[in-house]
Amino acid sequence: MSKTTLTEQDLSTFQYDGLSIQSMTNGKYLLILMLKNRSESKKLMDILHENLFDLAITVNEETGIYNLIFHFTDSDLNMEINTGKTETSYPNIKNLQNNTLHSITTGFWNHPEQPGSFEWNQNLKKIGTMSTQESFGLAEGVQFTASTSDNQPPVVILAFPDKGRLLSSEAINALRKLTKMKECRPVLEIKIIDQEHLNLRLWDIFFELDIHINKLKCNPDEIKSFIEKTDKNDHFIFVLGLYTPDKKQITLVATKDTGPEFVMIYGYKYIA
């Protein structure tokens, strides 16, 4: 969902000038990456908002220095930052490791004569902290489409009520992580719980993959057609979708400029 294609050059021009970790009212913490000036601060913040990324925090075993590794999933590029900070030199940095980091933003030191004085971008970027199950669990419904030709595989669409819910769920990143599990061969369990709802389970015992998505709205006629026309060992695709405003249709989500990304599913189990 990036506006432009990210390049290595885009990530190599920044001059980092430290960081600050600030407490928030919810018991979480805000990471502020300091740049040389306002222009660089805005440019990096735009990149963080426009490109999906994962953030890994590592600690050098010999020096104790913390490093930040941003992996931009659309472009498969890394941006690595050596913070130069240890828990001794900057005790607050330990909050990067204990699952209390909530958001990230950028800033710059604005008064050299006043150490510690800075300005920061108020448009925060929330850090992805949800598990795949939590992300997919925010979906509202599911649509099953049986194959109509040899060139069109069956499709299962996990549907979110609106774009806001989709983005806040972090489901796009969750789906992308599944697509990168190249050797994984997940199976879909479909369990009917009443005439209008079902539970889904995506699992692969060899990869310790076990994702439960409960009480999704469904169309019984779609399920009936899917089961009748799709063998339990057939391969089909799993994608993300959005309900139209009138809730009568579900449209695919283009998670990349080239269109929707999908996970290949290697069969299903149906429990009525």
Side-chain angles (χ1 to χ4, degrees):
M1 300 182 73
S2 302
K3 294 181 180 179
T4 58
T5 301
L6 193 64
T7 67
E8 290 185 5
Q9 184 176 358
D10 293 329
L11 301 175
S12 65
T13 58
F14 297 109
Q15 298 182 62
Y16 299 99
D17 197 20
L19 57 79
S20 178
I21 298 173
Q22 302 290 320
S23 61
M24 304 176 75
T25 56
N26 57 3
K28 300 287 188 177
Y29 288 85
L30 168 67
L31 169 62
I32 307 174
L33 294 176
M34 297 300 179
L35 284 300
K36 284 294 185 182
N37 52 51
R38 187 190 304 274
S39 176
E40 285 202 0
S41 172
K42 180 181 183 305
K43 181 180 177 182
L44 180 56
M45 200 67 234
D46 287 344
I47 287 175
L48 295 179
H49 273 297
E50 295 172 5
N51 297 272
L52 292 169
F53 64 87
D54 294 319
L55 174 60
I57 293 99
T58 64
V59 183
N60 186 294
E61 293 183 359
E62 295 183 359
T63 65
I65 291 176
Y66 277 64
N67 298 292
L68 309 178
I69 304 174
F70 293 81
H71 177 69
F72 294 92
T73 49
D74 277 339
S75 53
D76 200 25
L77 294 175
N78 286 343
M79 179 176 72
E80 299 187 22
I81 300 175
N82 180 334
T83 69
K85 305 291 186 181
T86 68
E87 293 181 14
T88 300
S89 66
Y90 187 56
N92 238 6
I93 203 165
K94 64 180 180 292
N95 292 302
L96 297 180
Q97 286 280 59
N98 59 10
N99 201 32
T100 58
L101 182 61
H102 181 275
S103 301
I104 187 171
T105 188
T106 60
F108 60 98
W109 308 109
N110 59 352
H111 294 294
E113 69 280 3
Q114 300 178 24
S117 178
F118 59 85
E119 293 184 22
W120 53 281
N121 195 314
Q122 304 287 320
N123 188 17
L124 309 183
K125 173 69 175 179
K126 185 176 178 293
I127 297 296
T129 56
M130 291 185 179
S131 68
T132 299
Q133 180 163 301
E134 290 172 327
S135 295
F136 288 172
L138 292 175
E140 184 174 296
V142 61
Q143 177 176 295
F144 292 82
T145 304
S147 174
T148 57
S149 69
D150 292 339
N151 296 324
Q152 180 184 346
V155 181
V156 175
I157 307 174
L158 185 65
F160 289 78
D162 52 54
K163 188 175 181 180
R165 173 78 72 86
L166 173 69
L167 295 177
S168 65
S169 72
E170 304 167 15
I172 295 174
N173 255 351
L175 181 81
R176 193 160 291 152
K177 289 176 184 178
L178 291 181
T179 66
K180 293 182 180 297
M181 299 172 65
K182 300 301 184 184
E183 302 301 320
C184 187
R185 298 173 67 86
V187 174
L188 184 69
E189 180 180 284
I190 306 165
K191 184 176 182 179
I192 305 299
I193 56 176
D194 60 43
Q195 288 189 341
E196 296 182 347
H197 299 89
L198 56 73
N199 295 340
L200 295 181
R201 179 190 179 202
L202 272 171
W203 60 284
D204 184 339
I205 190 172
F206 296 107
F207 277 79
E208 298 184 354
L209 179 70
D210 195 0
I211 301 167
H212 295 256
I213 316 169
N214 296 328
K215 205 169 183 180
L216 295 168
K217 294 179 182 178
C218 62
N219 182 317
D221 293 333
E222 290 176 358
I223 298 172
K224 183 174 183 291
S225 174
F226 182 88
I227 298 301
E228 289 177 348
K229 298 177 181 179
T230 310
D231 185 82
K232 66 179 182 179
N233 294 315
D234 283 351
H235 298 179
F236 53 94
I237 62 176
F238 180 87
V239 294
L240 302 179
L242 288 174
Y243 280 98
T244 55
D246 60 10
K247 299 293 184 179
K248 293 182 180 180
Q249 292 182 309
I250 294 173
T251 60
L252 296 180
V253 173
T255 52
K256 280 191 172 182
D257 293 339
T258 53
E261 295 168 278
F262 64 86
V263 175
M264 183 63 70
I265 307 297
Y266 294 83
Y268 70 90
K269 178 181 179 182
Y270 179 66
I271 303 174

